[in-house]
Amino acid sequence: MSLLLRGAITLFLVAGVTAGAGYLARALMYAPEHQALDAGVAARLDGQVQSMLQVQLAAGAVAAVLGLLFFYRSLSSKVSRLTEHVQDLRFDEGSLPDSGVRGKSGVGLLGAEVDQLVHRAEEGIRAREAQLKHLRETEERQEATLRATGDGLWDWNVNGDKVYFCPKLRAMLGEKKKGATLNRTEWIAFIHPEDLEDFTVALKAFVSGETPTLHIEHRLQRKEGDYIWTLCRGSLLRSPTGAVRRVVGIVTDITAQKEREAQLAHEAMHDVLTGLANRAMLVQQLNQALGRAKRKNHKFGLLFMDLDRFKVVNDGLGHMVGDELLKGVAHRIQMSVRSTDTVGRCASTVARLGGDEFVVLLDDIYDVLDAIRVAERVQKNIMEPFSIPGHEVFTSTSIGIAMGDVSTESGDELLRNADTALYRAKAQGRACYAVFDVEMGKRAKKRVRLENDLRRAIEREELALHFQPIIDLKTGRIASFEVLVRWNHPEFGQVPPDEFVVIAEETDTIQQMGRWLLRTAARQTRAWQERFPHARDLDVNVNFSSKEFLHPNAVEAITEDLREAGLAPEHLRIEVTEAVLMKNAKEVLKRLTTFRELGIQMAIDDFGTGASSLTHLTRFPVHMVKIDLSFVREMHASPESLQLVRSIIALSQSLNLKVIAEGVEEEHQLERLKGLGCEMSQGYLFSKPLDVQAATRLLESDPGW
Ligand code: C2E
Ligand code: CA
Ligand code: CA
């Protein structure tokens, strides 16, 4: 306490004591025993006491004022020290100093209290700072991670219904790079409407714990209005009680990947050359059409087409021209389908299956007439010349039409049907169309069965050889047997050779079949020659299809088979049809020459049916000509047929060729042929084709006609 204050209090106390003593003296003077004191002393005493009291009062007042002054000064200095101390507090490194305001007084206690408070606050702030630092580091790490991955992030406060978009995510969306907090509506506005439902469902399932992860691909709209594809993976943040507080989504831009996928998907479904749908796409569309047909009971049509003579263009003018033609054709088909009036209630698909094969799927049409109309339009448009740089190319197309409806079992079936109809259309000639019908279907089914079964038919011994005698009309004896193949199918019974030989040719089973047939026929003939002296010079006529005849190994194979069977080549007569000769004249000529050199006899089969004229006979080095049975049959009724037979025989004789007349059934036919100078004959008149046993019996009987 200051000196001044102490002085004032001393003065106040001294004055007080003095005044007290005065009162005491006065009281004593008025006591009864002191009644004797004179009035003069009493008055003096009173006066002294009075003045002492006044002094004391004045001193007390001064002391009070001074005290108050001192008290105020000391209090205010302490308070201002405290205030300054508090104001000067700076939270930097190192701990905060004390205020220094202490003591038992209120302010002293306050000072201690304030210091304590400040230290507690300091501790709190330091802890918070450490937390913040940790948080900042975590955020920095996160940002660095996101930067490295290029991913964005959103943070959805589930309860507050606010979502924070990080700067990277904003940048992805073409916004300025600042982060932003959005509300739910703003957030949803970014999501592509088509993806919204899936996204919402996935998010809900994730938040509710129904699904353990959030992993969803969806589109987000950029500021420019376009969309990017994103992959969103999520993570949940929970409160200590386990309730979901926030969902954080990591957003990866997968647009490039999606575009690649889309590109690949497009390529997988489209033909590269023409841009049309490919087979996979067609099958998909077909199945969809089938589904719709079943639901809505409507019809759809399929046009299966290929170009006539495309190979000629491709081989003759080169693949570049071929490709251009295919592109042009693709375009014209598309135009023909589009410009349609009755069709097109649903989308039609034009596809290229490869090569020159195109398919049009006409969805939701009324009936087959709609499909026919389109087919005719396609054919007409394709007939127009194609201008390909340096060339003007003409082509045409054959079309097979098949209709699909509720009863259609599969797209495959329909494609097969249309293909079958195409096959039929092509058989009718160029630029034709054919509509698939039930009969066609049955035939096609049978054909497929035969194709499959033919391969095993030889091993299963379902194939057999029949032999039809060919008679030398001069001697009336059997000169040769024509070998005719027979197939006894376990289900279909006897299959006519006309039917399965074609299949064998197309499926390349013909080589296997032909080899077996030649070997068996040669052995059998050799066996007969050895067994029957009158048949020592027996020949055998074997039919060769064009593929067998032109097969690169044919010469070696035949030579080997003959040697193995022990049959001299001179006893083999190979029959090839006139059609085979006409098709590959050059190669055929070479082959004929080779066979001739080997000593094998060559015969032109079915002569007169092909497009060749008689003069062609002079070109081929053959030994004999077989007049087709149709002329023999009509000889007596048709003067033209008779004239043809006569000419063939006359010309053959002049060329030193032998003539065999086929299909002789009547005696008068035989007489007529003999009269014309025909050397050999074959037909039911003599014998039907016989199995080995019957042929052997016939040969044994050594018949004469
Ligand atoms: P193709 O070579 O012209 O055979 C003659 C066909 O006429 C045979 O029919 C035969 O049975 C039949 N035929 C014979 N005489 C008469 C007759 O007096 N009247 C009538 N109406 N028909 C008669 P098939 O056996 O049905 O053979 C049909 C065709 O199948 C053959 O015609 C031939 O082109 C082919 N073919 C048969 N076997 C073979 C073979 O082993 N290889 C090859 N590549 N083709 C064969
Ligand atoms: Ca023949
Ligand atoms: Ca014939």
Side-chain angles (χ1 to χ4, degrees):
M1 208 185 293
S2 79
L3 213 68
L4 203 61
L5 190 64
R6 269 187 225 150
I9 292 169
T10 313
L11 199 64
F12 176 74
L13 290 175
V14 170
V17 169
T18 315
Y23 274 108
L24 192 65
R26 177 93 161 80
L28 287 172
M29 270 191 281
Y30 286 98
E33 60 265 34
H34 295 114
Q35 289 291 320
L37 237 59
D38 65 71
V41 174
R44 234 180 32 236
L45 266 173
D46 270 351
Q48 277 174 355
V49 168
Q50 213 69 80
S51 57
M52 280 313 286
L53 271 173
Q54 279 164 358
V55 169
Q56 197 205 6
L57 261 175
V62 170
V65 169
L66 282 174
L68 270 171
L69 200 73
F70 285 129
F71 179 72
Y72 171 76
R73 270 196 58 189
S74 107
L75 192 70
S76 77
S77 89
K78 276 185 180 176
V79 167
S80 66
R81 252 173 59 205
L82 210 56
T83 313
E84 273 167 27
H85 174 72
V86 171
Q87 275 173 352
D88 288 350
L89 283 177
R90 289 284 173 271
F91 291 95
D92 37 32
E93 296 299 307
S95 58
L96 292 172
D98 275 350
S99 63
V101 179
R102 285 292 183 276
K104 293 205 171 66
S105 66
V107 182
L109 292 175
L110 185 69
E113 198 70 21
V114 166
D115 283 343
Q116 221 173 37
L117 210 69
V118 166
H119 285 306
R120 266 212 305 277
E122 185 187 11
E123 272 166 29
I125 286 167
R126 297 266 179 252
R128 182 103 182 102
E129 256 182 352
Q131 258 180 359
L132 275 174
K133 193 169 164 230
H134 178 71
L135 207 67
R136 240 189 334 270
E137 279 171 3
T138 312
E139 262 179 8
E140 276 168 7
R141 254 198 308 275
Q142 265 177 7
E143 273 221 27
T145 313
L146 289 178
R147 253 203 317 277
T149 58
D151 293 345
L153 171 154
W154 52 250
D155 182 344
W156 175 38
N157 187 338
V158 179
N159 297 325
D161 211 25
K162 290 265 182 255
V163 61
Y164 167 75
F165 274 31
C166 85
K168 179 73 210 175
L169 179 56
R170 303 275 294 171
M172 262 186 203
L173 300 174
E175 305 275 350
K176 271 177 258 123
K177 255 201 157 190
K178 259 189 342 192
T181 303
L182 318 174
N183 62 32
R184 207 182 150 82
T185 325
E186 288 166 327
W187 180 19
I188 277 172
F190 278 102
I191 300 170
H192 195 290
E194 284 172 20
D195 304 340
L196 188 57
E197 197 186 328
D198 284 354
F199 180 79
T200 323
V201 168
L203 190 61
K204 236 184 214 163
F206 181 51
V207 174
S208 69
E210 225 173 278
T211 51
T213 51
L214 177 68
H215 191 281
I216 182 163
E217 291 179 358
H218 66 89
R219 282 159 290 180
L220 285 176
Q221 190 169 37
R222 280 162 44 84
K223 200 178 175 196
E224 287 78 12
D226 58 337
Y227 283 90
I228 54 166
W229 267 105
T230 61
L231 165 66
C232 178
R233 284 161 294 181
S235 143
L236 296 177
L237 299 179
R238 296 174 185 279
S239 68
T241 58
V244 175
R245 271 192 309 126
R246 282 155 55 195
V247 185
V248 175
I250 310 290
V251 181
T252 312
D253 185 344
I254 54 165
T255 311
Q257 179 195 329
K258 277 278 170 186
E259 277 167 2
R260 256 196 322 277
E261 279 173 17
Q263 176 69 19
L264 285 177
H266 185 270
E267 279 168 17
M269 288 294 183
H270 289 82
D271 169 44
V272 182
L273 180 69
T274 60
L276 296 179
N278 64 9
R279 182 183 288 272
M281 172 84 143
L282 176 75
V283 169
Q284 196 183 69
Q285 298 289 81
L286 208 50
N287 288 334
Q288 281 173 11
L290 209 67
R292 276 195 295 272
K294 290 207 193 296
R295 282 197 307 276
K296 298 182 186 160
N297 196 18
H298 74 208
K299 291 181 182 161
F300 57 100
L302 204 66
L303 311 186
F304 201 128
M305 54 187 86
D306 76 8
L307 298 182
D308 305 316
R309 300 173 49 250
F310 177 67
K311 211 174 132 42
V312 177
V313 176
N314 221 19
D315 294 351
L317 301 177
H319 291 248
M320 301 278 262
V321 178
D323 282 357
E324 286 308 308
L325 178 63
L326 290 175
K327 281 196 234 172
V329 166
H331 181 68
R332 291 215 190 148
I333 297 175
Q334 275 180 314
M335 297 328 279
S336 319
V337 172
R338 264 184 219 147
S339 68
T340 180
D341 29 277
T342 43
V343 196
R345 281 189 283 159
C346 278
S348 303
T349 306
V350 181
R352 174 171 172 245
L353 299 193
D356 61 342
E357 283 184 344
F358 295 89
V359 172
V360 178
L361 166 66
L362 301 168
D363 200 5
D364 195 4
I365 53 177
Y366 292 108
D367 56 24
V368 72
L369 282 177
D370 281 342
I372 289 176
R373 257 178 237 132
V374 178
E376 284 176 346
R377 193 161 31 229
V378 169
Q379 284 182 328
K380 187 169 153 272
N381 289 341
I382 284 182
M383 292 279 216
E384 299 288 322
F386 287 85
S387 305
I388 292 160
H391 304 276
E392 188 166 62
V393 184
F394 289 85
T395 189
S396 57
T397 175
S398 305
I399 302 181
I401 303 170
M403 292 295 290
D405 57 22
V406 205
S407 65
T408 308
E409 270 170 28
S410 69
D412 255 5
E413 179 196 306
L414 204 68
L415 259 174
R416 259 200 319 273
N417 292 353
D419 193 16
T420 304
L422 171 64
Y423 192 78
R424 168 64 73 86
K426 283 181 107 54
Q428 291 165 15
R430 274 182 213 160
C432 290
Y433 63 79
V435 180
F436 178 84
D437 60 39
V438 181
E439 267 313 301
M440 226 185 256
K442 277 192 195 154
R443 277 199 300 276
K445 267 194 193 127
K446 185 176 175 192
R447 200 194 133 92
V448 173
R449 267 295 294 281
L450 292 182
E451 265 178 33
N452 293 333
D453 294 351
L454 191 58
R455 294 174 201 284
R456 279 159 301 185
I458 302 169
E459 290 126 54
R460 289 179 184 166
E461 296 188 343
E462 288 167 19
L463 291 187
L465 295 190
H466 277 204
F467 299 86
Q468 187 178 34
I470 297 173
I471 316 301
D472 183 337
L473 295 180
K474 270 193 210 117
T475 62
R477 294 276 151 75
I478 298 173
S480 178
F481 277 108
E482 176 170 5
V483 181
L484 296 160
V485 69
R486 293 288 176 266
W487 183 10
N488 190 13
H489 189 275
E491 187 179 323
F492 304 121
Q494 286 294 335
V495 185
D498 292 322
E499 208 172 312
F500 72 82
V501 168
V502 181
I503 297 175
E505 259 220 304
E506 284 173 6
T507 55
D508 280 341
T509 329
I510 194 81
Q511 304 299 342
Q512 189 195 359
M513 193 180 96
R515 275 305 281 278
W516 167 81
L517 190 139
L518 177 65
R519 228 176 283 149
T520 318
R523 271 191 217 136
Q524 186 57 59
T525 310
R526 181 63 198 144
W528 282 328
Q529 283 178 347
E530 284 178 336
R531 185 167 165 192
F532 305 116
H534 58 270
R536 213 178 294 133
D537 289 326
L538 184 71
D539 287 346
V540 64
N541 284 43
V542 179
N543 293 289
F544 266 54
S545 73
S546 120
K547 269 201 185 157
E548 289 173 273
F549 184 67
L550 293 171
H551 194 274
N553 276 344
V555 179
E556 288 78 17
I558 293 168
T559 326
E560 191 191 317
D561 289 344
L562 290 179
R563 196 180 49 238
E564 200 187 275
L567 187 72
E570 296 74 32
H571 292 298
L572 174 65
R573 303 169 172 182
I574 290 178
E575 296 186 12
V576 277
T577 63
E578 191 189 354
V580 173
L581 298 188
M582 300 314 298
K583 233 193 238 161
N584 309 288
K586 244 185 178 171
E587 285 162 75
V588 164
L589 211 63
K590 266 197 241 161
R591 269 288 141 92
L592 287 174
T593 317
T594 314
F595 285 135
R596 216 187 143 102
E597 283 164 8
L598 283 172
I600 296 167
Q601 304 180 64
M602 296 302 307
I604 304 180
D605 203 358
D606 302 345
F607 194 81
T609 54
S612 70
S613 69
L614 284 176
T615 51
H616 279 111
L617 273 182
T618 56
R619 287 178 50 203
F620 298 111
V622 293
H623 299 86
M624 54 190 77
V625 177
K626 293 185 82 170
I627 303 176
D628 191 68
L629 45 78
S630 58
F631 304 111
V632 176
R633 194 185 298 139
E634 286 159 22
M635 215 167 36
H636 72 283
S638 148
E640 291 82 23
S641 291
L642 180 62
Q643 185 50 41
L644 189 76
V645 172
R646 188 179 281 136
S647 310
I648 294 172
I649 294 172
L651 186 65
S652 301
Q653 279 172 344
S654 72
L655 291 170
N656 208 16
L657 302 177
K658 289 193 173 117
V659 177
I660 305 176
E662 286 187 312
V664 180
E665 294 179 355
E666 314 279 342
E667 197 67 48
H668 66 87
Q669 291 168 335
L670 179 63
E671 291 313 313
R672 179 54 70 74
L673 288 163
K674 274 184 183 168
L676 292 172
C678 178
E679 286 129 325
M680 280 180 273
S681 185
Q682 161 185 13
Y684 294 169
L685 177 67
F686 310 103
S687 166
K688 290 203 166 184
L690 306 166
D691 61 21
V692 182
Q693 289 78 19
T696 307
R697 278 197 301 275
L698 180 72
L699 203 57
E700 194 171 20
S701 69
D702 190 16
W705 283 277

